[in-house]
């Protein structure tokens, strides 16, 4: 080989320092890397040994490096040597592992033989081989075809399932594979696209990658293509390095690579694999510059050889100013190195001349008499710089954690907040407000009040949600059936309780009544195209309905997106916030059918309001009539409470009840007996004070407050030491107290009390005696015999037994749901339809149907009482023009010993009618009603 014209003469120590500079990657723009030839193999090997020691064992970021010994460089041909380099650089020893996907595919294709005897035609064979290369197991040929899968199954459903599985497991991967290999779909198949866009082996002569790949396989490629194939292999090898070192926002690995890979070649004699490798790298780099790719190869090669290729004698331009600017701007010390300046200054001219040795940097090692410096430098480790802070593993891990936390926080915020998380299935929207989970749910994605002591409340929610699924399934089987949604709004959280105390009795009983209505509709014959199916959404408005306004806003949003919603029920506790909620519901056009609101004139807040229970005016009349006719008392004292609400004006239930009692009791004169009305001696707020003055009181003592203070009220009376008031009557609120065994345990023994019931007709005793009545008979059979419904089943021991009783509010909630269902079925019956369309009726039409069917005018109240009313479990129902029941049955129940759970309350007085044709006058129950 001719002596090079351009040779740089440097000492060994300077060369080692220069190479150490080149290995370290600048923090900004990459610099071009030469192919360094050390022209004295003896001295060159010393440099390689020193470099080998400097590169070995650096931590934590190790420079990727490969040492090619003389045996490998001489005995391996070029392709074997390139494969050796790829294997050595692709090891986990280097913290940032280098992957050679393009080169690996090209090398694999060269090893494939498509002309093996007995094999399929070459294109089919190649597709199968490519598919096998990326599969972990098999190509699916062992699985039956779709037709075979169907034929192998006698059961049609099983055959369809197998066919679908075959499509998923066999066809879908094939389609994806074909799309990937085509390279025509953005985002996938990038490496296949690259092969069709590079310049070697004339890829434009092939229709697609498969055609190009076939030309690389054994038996197809031509011998005259070997030079281009070698260039293709080097080009693919360098492309993999370029992509590995690419600094893009989404490629953190590229930012972490702060050292270039270095290849040390011991011997590159002419004709050897090492010489061929350097020749092709130089040639490919020249092709890239000629084609103006503008990308540098992140590969530094250092070769020690006695024979160095010649380089053109090209004078370098005066580039001092340019390199000083590069050194200043890029902060890269390599630009101020005189050796790099000399080579890089000549490089542009060499490239313009398209020199075969343009990228070579031949160095003649000279003895400068200070080899001890080489030893000291050789002992210094060449370690990569630390990656930029944003690319360090710890930072990346922290960033991923922070992103995960942010994503989790976003999920938590949009799915209820901490403590109110819900699964994103079904119609669920819950948010944390004042440590309460406020919102709605219609599925197991969220159950309100999940404390262990609230298992009964959770169980009935779960029951309703399971029946929601059953209703949906039944409608899908027969889409002619009407399918509607109602929303129950109640206070399901926030009440302070003792351990193991059930304090959400009323709400649980409401939900049980709705569950019974659902069950009845779900169990109609599937062929019954007119029986409506009911989906129930449960909404929590918080303690004392404080957040009912927010819940109504959420329900309004749901109603706008869900055409099946027809009405709202629940809305317990007559307070000012409840009145405002009724106004909002009226504005958005949703009717309200409430089981138990009792405040007078609460209906003034909505033109679409219906009430199942009788109002406070009827309750006050009942107490007054009982006091006059049965007790024969002449005076009364009233105690009232409002729970945690300090302002009586905001508690409409207590306020109107007190007003009614103070107005009606003085008028309760028995003219036939010549007695005056009942004098109200005092109306006092009970706030825990002693009740000594009530001991032995012979008048009527009335508790007209919230049930939450009733237990404390009784405990103060217990201090009378047996000298109890002779006559104690409590309002209907205390039914919640009596349904709580824990609270009753602390009540005085042998203190008889009477309390108001708005649904005495739904008690087990009454139901068992009137099992033949329409609504009451159906209700009894369901609560007693319904499978997988209420647990335990109710009324199983008959009247007077010790079995679980029907709750005070369950019949009222059942009647509310059935009234809505009755209206929907009436409307649906007048529509001619092949399939139910929820938009065929709207909430306004449902309210009009309910009101039109069962309302009476002041001019003809008694006339319609003889006609067919709504047949409810809690009594027959007609509504006045404000939606309040007229002459609805209301009762007084008596219990002799409050702590005794064995003793059931008995009806002692009532007003209103139980069924059409009854006399609405007040009186004692008949024998057949007991």
């Amino acid at each position: 080989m001719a002596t090079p014209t351009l040779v740089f003469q440097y000492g060994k120590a300077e060369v080692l320092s220069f190479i150490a500079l080149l290995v370290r990657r600048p923090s900004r723009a990459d610099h071009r890397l030469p192919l360094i030839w050390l022209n004295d193999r003896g001295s060159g090997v010393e440099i390689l040994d020193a470099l080998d020691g400097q590169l070995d064992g650096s931590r934590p970021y190790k420079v990727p490096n490969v040492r090619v010994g003389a045996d490998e460089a001489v005995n391996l041909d070029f392709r074997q040597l390139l494969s050796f380099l790829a294997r050595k650089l692709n090891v986990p020893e280097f913290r940032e592992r280098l992957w050679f996907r393009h080169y690996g595919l090209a090398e694999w294709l060269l090893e494939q033989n498509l002309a093996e005897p007995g094999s399929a035609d070459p294109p089919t064979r190649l597709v199968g081989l490519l598919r096998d290369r990326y599969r972990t197991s098999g190509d699916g040929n062992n699985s039956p075809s779709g037709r075979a899968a169907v034929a192998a199954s006698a059961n049609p459903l099983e055959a369809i399932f197998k066919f679908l599985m075959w499509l998923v497991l066999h066809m879908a991967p094939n389609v994806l594979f074909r799309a990937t290999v085509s390279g025509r779909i953005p985002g996938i198949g990038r490496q296949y696209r690259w092969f069709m866009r590079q310049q070697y082996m004339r890829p434009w002569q092939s229709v697609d990658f498969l055609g190009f790949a076939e030309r690389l396989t054994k038996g197809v490629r031509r011998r005259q293509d070997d030079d281009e194939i070698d260039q293709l292999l080097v080009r693919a090898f360098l492309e993999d390095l370029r992509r590995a070192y690419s600094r893009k926002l989404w490629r953190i690995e590229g930012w972490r690579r702060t050292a270039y890979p270095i290849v040390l070649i011991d011997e590159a004699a002419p004709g050897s694999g090492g010489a061929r490798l350097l020749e092709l790298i130089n040639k490919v780099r020249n092709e890239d510059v000629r084609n103006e790719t503008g990308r540098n190869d992140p590969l530094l090669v250092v070769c020690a050889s006695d024979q160095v290729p010649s380089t053109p004698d090209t004078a370098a331009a005066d580039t001092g100013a340019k390199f000083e600017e590069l050194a200043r701007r890029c902060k890269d010390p390599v630009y101020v190195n005189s050796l790099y300046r000399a080579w890089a200054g000549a490089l542009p001219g060499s490239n313009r001349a398209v020199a075969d040795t343009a990228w070579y940097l031949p160095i003649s090692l000279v003895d400068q008499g200070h080899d001890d410096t080489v030893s000291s430098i050789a002992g210094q480790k060449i370690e990569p710089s630390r990656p930029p802070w944003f690319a360090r593993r710890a930072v990346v891990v922290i960033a991923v954690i922070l992103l995960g936390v942010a994503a989790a926080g976003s999920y938590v915020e949009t799915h209820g907040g901490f403590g109110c998380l819900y699964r994103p299935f079904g119609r669920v929207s819950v948010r944390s407000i004042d440590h309460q989970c406020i919102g709605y749910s219609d599925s197991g994605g969220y159950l309100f009040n999940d404390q262990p002591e609230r298992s009964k409340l959770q169980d009935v929610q779960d029951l309703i949600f399971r029946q929601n699924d059953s209703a949906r399934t039944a409608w899908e089987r027969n889409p002619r059936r009407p399918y509607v949604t109602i929303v129950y709004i109640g206070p399901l959280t926030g009440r302070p309780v003792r351990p193991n105390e059930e304090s959400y009795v009323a709400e649980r009983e409401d939900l049980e009544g709705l569950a019974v209505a659902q069950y009845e509709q779900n169990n109609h014959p599937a062929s019954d195209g007119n029986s409506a199916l009911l989906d129930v959404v449960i909404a929590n408005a918080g303690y004392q309905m404080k957040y009912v306004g927010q819940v109504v806003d959420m329900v309004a949003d749901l109603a706008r997106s869900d055409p099946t919603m027809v009405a709202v029920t629940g809305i317990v506790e007559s307070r000012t916030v409840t009145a405002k909620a009724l106004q909002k519901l009226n504005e958005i056009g949703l009717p309200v059918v409430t089981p138990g609101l009792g405040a007078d004139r609460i209906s003034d807040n909505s033109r679409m309001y219906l009430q199942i229970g009788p109002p406070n005016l009827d309750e006050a009349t009942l107490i007054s009539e009982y006091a006059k006719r049965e007790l024969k008392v002449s005076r009364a004292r009233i105690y009232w409470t409002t729970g945690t609400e300090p302002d009586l004006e905001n508690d409409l239930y207590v306020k109107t009840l007190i007003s009614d009692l103070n107005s009606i009791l003085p008028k309760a004169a028995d003219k036939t007996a010549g007695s005056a009305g009942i004098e109200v001696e005092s109306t006092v707020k009970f706030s825990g004070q002693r009740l000594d003055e009530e001991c032995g009181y012979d008048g009527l003592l009335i508790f007209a407050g919230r049930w939450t203070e009733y237990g404390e009220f009784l405990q103060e009376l217990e201090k009378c030491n047996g000298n109890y008031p002779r006559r104690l009557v409590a309002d209907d609120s205390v039914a919640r107290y009596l349904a709580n065994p824990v609270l009753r345990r602390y009540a005085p023994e042998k203190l008889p009390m009477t309390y108001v019931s708005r649904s005495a007709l739904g008690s087990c005793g009454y139901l068992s005696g009137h099992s033949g009545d329409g609504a009451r008979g159906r209700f009894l059979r369901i609560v007693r015999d319904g499978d997988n419904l209420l647990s335990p089943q109710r009324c199983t021991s008959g009247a007077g037994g010790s079995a679980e009783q029907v709750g005070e509010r369950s019949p009222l909630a059942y009647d509310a749901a059935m009234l809505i269902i009755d209206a929907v079925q009436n409307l649906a019956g007048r529509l001619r339809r092949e399939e139910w369309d929820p938009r065929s009726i709207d909430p306004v039409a449902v309210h009009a149907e309910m009101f039109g069917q069962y309302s009476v005018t002041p001019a003809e109240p008694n006339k319609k009482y003889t006609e067919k009313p709504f047949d409810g479990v809690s009594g027959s129902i007609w509504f006045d023009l404000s939606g309040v029941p007229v002459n609805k049955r209301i009762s007084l129940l008596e219990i002799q010993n409050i702590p005794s759970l064995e003793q059931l309350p008995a009806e002692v007085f009532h007003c209103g009618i139980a069924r059409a044709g009854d006399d609405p006058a007040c009186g004692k129950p008949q024998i057949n009603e007991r």
Side-chain angles (χ1 to χ4, degrees), residues 105-217:
L105 178 58
E107 183 186 42
W108 177 84
L109 286 170
L110 294 175
E111 296 298 322
Q112 305 309 307
N113 187 356
L114 304 182
E116 292 180 352
S119 62
D121 60 283
T124 304
R125 173 73 173 158
L126 179 60
V127 169
L129 291 171
L130 280 169
R131 189 186 298 115
D132 289 345
R133 185 170 184 265
Y134 292 101
R135 282 190 175 178
T136 56
S137 60
D139 62 357
N141 292 333
N142 294 329
S143 62
S145 67
R147 183 180 300 176
V150 173
S153 301
N155 187 328
L157 292 178
E158 182 182 357
I160 293 173
F161 175 77
K162 287 186 175 181
F163 178 71
L164 293 176
M165 289 298 296
W166 177 79
L167 285 177
V168 171
L169 299 177
H170 185 81
M171 291 298 292
N174 286 347
V175 171
L176 181 61
F177 170 76
R178 288 283 187 172
T180 302
V181 171
S182 72
R184 295 170 182 170
I185 300 178
I188 60 174
R190 186 175 63 178
Q191 67 186 50
Y192 302 105
R193 263 196 307 278
W194 179 85
F195 279 98
M196 298 304 294
R197 292 176 180 175
Q198 53 82 38
Q199 68 267 33
Y200 301 112
M201 290 293 293
R202 302 168 296 283
W204 54 86
Q205 294 181 357
S206 302
V207 176
D208 56 13
F209 171 77
L210 291 174
F212 174 75
E214 185 178 346
R215 290 166 45 203
L216 296 179
T217 60

Side-chain angles (χ1 to χ4, degrees), residues 347-613:
L347 184 62
S350 300
N351 280 324
R352 283 194 297 271
V354 196
D356 291 338
T357 57
W359 291 85
Y360 293 161
L361 174 55
I363 299 177
S364 177
L365 298 172
V366 297
D367 187 1
Q368 296 182 337
H370 49 270
D371 287 346
D372 57 323
T373 307
V374 176
S375 302
S376 62
I377 293 178
Q380 299 175 4
K381 299 297 183 183
I382 300 179
E383 296 184 352
S385 305
R386 296 197 68 189
W389 65 267
F390 58 84
R392 295 172 190 170
R393 291 185 182 274
V395 174
V396 172
V397 170
I398 293 173
V400 170
I401 292 174
L402 291 177
L403 287 174
V405 170
S410 175
Y411 180 89
V412 168
E413 183 178 357
T414 57
H415 289 75
F418 289 107
C420 301
L421 287 177
Y422 59 87
R423 299 195 304 271
F425 303 110
R427 289 174 289 187
V428 184
S429 180
V430 181
R431 67 187 66 157
S432 179
I433 303 178
D434 192 23
H435 307 293
Q436 297 184 67
C437 298
I438 306 302
Y440 62 80
S441 173
D442 83 330
S443 70
Y446 189 80
L447 299 179
F448 292 102
N449 214 331
D450 60 353
Q451 288 87 349
E453 296 85 359
R454 315 292 175 262
S455 59
K456 289 186 178 180
L457 184 62
Q458 296 164 41
D459 289 345
V460 69
Q461 291 180 74
D462 184 64
L463 169 63
I464 286 177
F465 295 155
R466 284 188 281 109
Q467 294 193 149
N468 283 346
D469 295 337
S470 299
R472 181 71 184 182
T473 301
W475 180 77
E476 291 172 349
R477 291 176 178 173
N478 184 2
R480 294 183 65 244
R481 298 181 67 176
Y483 178 82
V484 294
T485 298
I486 64 173
V487 180
Y488 171 85
I489 302 178
L492 301 174
T493 56
R495 185 172 298 136
V497 295
R498 295 186 178 97
N500 301 318
E501 174 188 339
E502 185 188 7
S503 61
Y504 295 86
V505 177
E507 292 74 22
R508 188 255 299 166
E509 291 176 353
D510 280 344
L511 295 176
E512 286 179 346
L514 298 179
V516 173
Q518 272 189 305
Y519 182 90
E520 180 175 341
Q521 295 306 114
N522 285 349
N523 284 275
H524 276 278
S527 59
D528 186 352
N530 198 51
S531 60
L533 293 160
L534 184 62
D535 184 278
V536 177
V537 176
I538 300 175
N540 176 34
Y543 184 46
Q544 294 186 349
M545 301 292 285
K546 183 177 180 180
Y547 303 107
V548 67
Q550 289 91 323
V551 170
V552 168
D553 290 338
M554 298 168 75
V555 170
D557 292 339
L558 179 61
R560 281 189 282 269
S561 63
D562 185 1
T564 68
M565 188 181 297
V566 295
V568 171
T569 188
I571 309 290
V572 303
E573 299 198 14
S574 302
R575 302 180 185 272
T576 52
V577 291
T578 309
K580 292 177 181 178
L582 292 177
Q583 295 170 13
K584 279 189 176 183
L585 290 168
N586 181 71
E587 291 172 3
I588 62 179
L590 277 177
V592 175
V593 184
T594 176
L597 286 186
D600 298 329
R601 304 188 65 82
I602 190 97
S603 58
D604 293 349
N605 295 283
S606 174
R607 295 188 302 273
M608 303 176 68
Y609 176 86
L610 296 173
Q611 180 176 308
I612 301 299

Side-chain angles (χ1 to χ4, degrees), residues 600 616 620 638-642 648 651-665 680 683-685 704-705:
D600 298 329
N616 277 351
I638 302 172
Y639 284 89
W640 58 272
T641 66
T642 56
L648 179 61
D651 194 329
L652 302 180
Y653 169 77
V654 176
K655 176 185 174 182
T656 58
L657 181 57
I658 293 172
S659 176
D660 290 336
L661 289 170
N662 278 283
S663 174
I664 294 175
L665 285 171
V680 179
T683 302
V684 179
K685 179 180 181 179

